[in-house]
Amino acid sequence: MEKISALFWKILTHVTFFCFVSMLTVMVFQVLSRDIFKISVSWTDEATRYFFIWAIFLGSALAQRRGDHIRITILIDRFPPPLRKLLNVVIDLFSFCLSAIILIGAIKMMISTYGIFASTIPISFTYIYLALASGIAIMLILILKDILNAFGHKKVLPFSKEGVTP
Amino acid sequence: MTLFALLLIFLFVMIFLGIPIAFGVVGAGVLILGALRGFENLPFDMIAQRMLYGVNNYALLAIPAFLLVGRLMNSSGMTDRIFNVARTMVGHYKGGLGHVNVVGSMIFAGMSGSAVADAGGLGAVEVKAMTDDGYPLEFSSAVTAASATIGPIIPPSIPAVIYGALASESIGKIFIGSIIPGLMMSFGMMGIVAITSHIRNYPTKEKATFKEFLKYMKEGILPMLVPFIIIGGILSGIFTATEASAIAVFYCILISFFVYRSITLVEFVKVVKDTMLDTAVILFIIGGCSVYSWVLGRYQVTHEFIGWIGENVHHPGLLLLYINLFLLVIGCFMDSGPALFLLTPVLVPLIKQFGIDPIHFGVVMIFNLMIGLITPPVGTVLYTVVKVVNVPFDKLVKAVIPFYIPLFITLAIISYFPQVVLAIPNLVFK
C-alpha cells in the first residue's frame, strides 16, 4: 500500500510538472510567434489555458498533501493543543463538505458539457472539468484521511505554513 | 445589510480560526446560497463552473511567469550582479550600502513582482555586505525589509495581476500607474537612510571609478535589461502584461542557461516545481474567490452593502480614508494575498459607486497591503528577513519604524492626488 501510494504521488507530480512546463512553453511560443514573427497560431491560447487549469487543480492536490494551502494560523497557534486538535477536525469536516459539493458540481458539469468542444482544439469540455474533478477528488480523500487520523491517534496534526505571499 | 454583515463576520471568523482561505471563500458563497435557496437546492454545477472559469483567464498566466522570473533571478546568482551595479551607482554616499540596498531592490523590483523574493534572495546578499562593512544588524535588516516592499509596487507585480483579474481591470494600467508611487517610496526610504547615516555616522564606500562602473555594468547588463523589456514593452503597447511575463521567462532562461551558465538542470527543475506549487495554491484561491464574488453580485449582497455605506459616508475622500485605515489594520493581522482575495470583490464595486477610479484604487490598495507586510504581528516580509539573517524579531520591528514615514506619506499622496497614479496610464493607454 505504501509503495502504491508513493508511486501514485510520483506520477501525479510528473503529470502536474508536465502540464505546468507545457503551459509555459506554449505561452512563450505563442508570444514569440505572434509578436516577433507576426504569425498567429490559433490553438495556443486555449492550449495554454487548459494546461494551466490542469496544473492548478492537480497542483492543489499536491499542495494539500504537503499542507501548503494558505491559512491564517496566528490565532490557532496560540490555542492549547486539545482545542487546536478539535478545531482542526472541525475545519477538516467543513473542508470535506465543501470539496464534496465542488466534486458533485464538477461531475455534473463533466456530464453536461460532454458534447461541447473547445473552439480551436478538438477536445470536449468534459476533459477540462475532469481536471477540477480529479484534483478535488484527491483532496477529498486526503482530508478524509486527516479526519480519520485525528480520531485514530493521539498526535496533534502538523500545521501548515502561513503560505506564499505574492 | 444583515445578510452581508453575517457573511462577512462568519468569513473572517472562519479564516482567523485557520480554515484554508480557498475553502473559506467557497464556504461563504455556499452558505449564502444555502440561506437563500435552501441547501437541497444548491446549484452544484454553477459552483464548479465558477471555480473553473475563475482561473480560465489568460491574464492570470502572468502569475506563474513572474513568480518563476523572481526565483530564477535569485537562484542563478543574478542578484549579486544587480547588487554590484547598485554599489557602483550609489555606494559612495554617506551610509552607502544602505542606499545600495534600496537601489538594488528598485532594480530587482523591475524583474520580480514579489516582496518575499526580494527579501529572501537579494536581501541576504545585501545584509551580508552591510554587516561586513560594520553596519548594525538591525539597521541593515530594517532597510532590507522596508525596501523589499518596493518589489510589488514597481512593475511587474503579482498583487497587481491578482487585483486586475479579480476586479476585471487592465493589469498593464495598474503596472504603469505604480511606477511613480514606487519611485516616491524608494526616494523616501533613501532619505531615511541618509538621515540615519548622518546621525550615526555610517561608513562610506570609495567612489567607484568609471572603469569599475563599466565593468560591473557589463556583468550586470543582461539581467538589468529585464525591467526595460517588461516596462518598455507594456509602455510602448507591444506587449500586454501577460505577454511581457512570457518574454521575461524566456529571456531569463536564456541568459541563466546559455550566457551565464549559473544554474544546473537539477536546480532549474526544483525552481520550476516550487513555482508550480505556489501557483496552484494562489490560483486555487482565485478559483474559490470567483464563486464568492459571483454569489455576492448575483444575490445583490454587494448592492446592499453599498447602499448601507452610501447612507453613512457621503464623500469619496472620506470613504478612501476609512478604507485606508481599515486596510492598514487588516494588513497588521492578515497577509497581503488573503486580504486581496477577500476584499477586492467587495471593495471594487463600492469605490466605483463613489466615482473612484478602479486603477487608482488598485494601486492605493496594493500599496496599503504592502505596508502590511512589514507591520507586526503578521508581517511576512519581517518573518522572511528574520529567517534569512537571524535578527531578533522585536529589534527588527523597532528599526523598521522610521521607514513607515515615507511609506505613509506616499500612501497619503497617492490616495488624495489620483493624478500621481493615473497620469502616465492615461497618457499611454488612450
Side-chain angles (χ1 to χ4, degrees), chain B residues 88-141:
Chain B
T88 56
M89 283 162 78
V90 290
H92 56 282
Y93 293 111
K94 188 98 191 145
L97 285 185
H99 295 294
V100 172
N101 196 325
V102 179
V103 171
S105 293
M106 281 168 76
I107 301 173
F108 191 70
M111 312 169 179
S112 144
S114 147
V116 171
D118 182 318
L122 184 62
V125 181
E126 290 168 336
V127 174
K128 191 180 168 298
M130 287 178 80
T131 311
D132 290 347
D133 231 27
Y135 289 84
L137 186 60
E138 300 96 81
F139 179 71
S140 40
S141 43

Side-chain angles (χ1 to χ4, degrees), chain A residues 17 27 30 34-35 45 49 59-60 66 70-72 74-76 91 94 98-99 105-106 109 129 164-166, chain B residues 14 17-21 23 44-45 48-49 56 58 158 243 245 277-278 280-281 284 334-336 378 380:
Chain A
F17 188 76
M27 184 186 174
Q30 176 187 30
R34 190 167 59 196
D35 292 323
D45 184 81
R49 279 187 285 121
S60 297
R66 296 162 44 120
I70 305 179
R71 30 189 308 208
I72 293 173
I74 174 177
L75 267 181
I76 197 171
I91 287 170
F94 190 78
L98 287 169
S99 320
M109 287 307 294
Y129 278 101
V164 277
T165 302
Chain B
M14 281 196 303
L17 284 182
I19 186 152
I21 312 277
F23 285 122
F44 293 99
D45 41 358
Q49 198 196 72
N56 187 10
Y58 188 77
I158 308 256
E243 288 166 343
S245 74
L277 285 172
D278 280 358
V281 164
F284 190 60
M334 207 184 247
D335 214 349
S336 63
V378 178
T380 316

Side-chain angles (χ1 to χ4, degrees), chain B residues 105-106 109-110 112-113 150-157 175 178-179 182-183 186 231:
Chain B
S105 293
M106 281 168 76
S112 144
I150 303 170
I153 305 294
I154 291 185
S157 159
F175 274 17
S178 308
I179 294 178
L183 295 178
S186 313
I231 301 173

Side-chain angles (χ1 to χ4, degrees), chain B residues 174-197:
Chain B
I174 307 174
F175 274 17
I176 301 305
S178 308
I179 294 178
I180 293 184
L183 295 178
M184 284 169 64
M185 73 196 280
S186 313
F187 293 135
M189 284 178 194
M190 288 172 78
I192 298 291
V193 170
I195 295 168
T196 324
S197 309

Side-chain angles (χ1 to χ4, degrees), chain B residues 358-380:
Chain B
I359 300 293
H360 168 223
F361 180 73
V363 176
V364 171
M365 181 168 175
I366 293 165
F367 196 94
N368 206 318
L369 294 175
M370 290 311 116
I371 298 179
L373 292 179
I374 53 166
T375 48
V378 178
T380 316

Side-chain angles (χ1 to χ4, degrees), chain B residues 40-52:
Chain B
E40 64 285 359
N41 291 325
L42 277 184
F44 293 99
D45 41 358
M46 276 309 287
I47 295 171
Q49 198 196 72
R50 283 290 125 192
M51 192 141 188
L52 193 90

Side-chain angles (χ1 to χ4, degrees), chain B residues 76-92:
Chain B
S76 62
M78 309 260 187
T79 33
D80 295 310
R81 294 168 194 273
I82 296 168
F83 180 79
N84 285 333
V85 171
R87 199 178 60 198
T88 56
M89 283 162 78
V90 290
H92 56 282

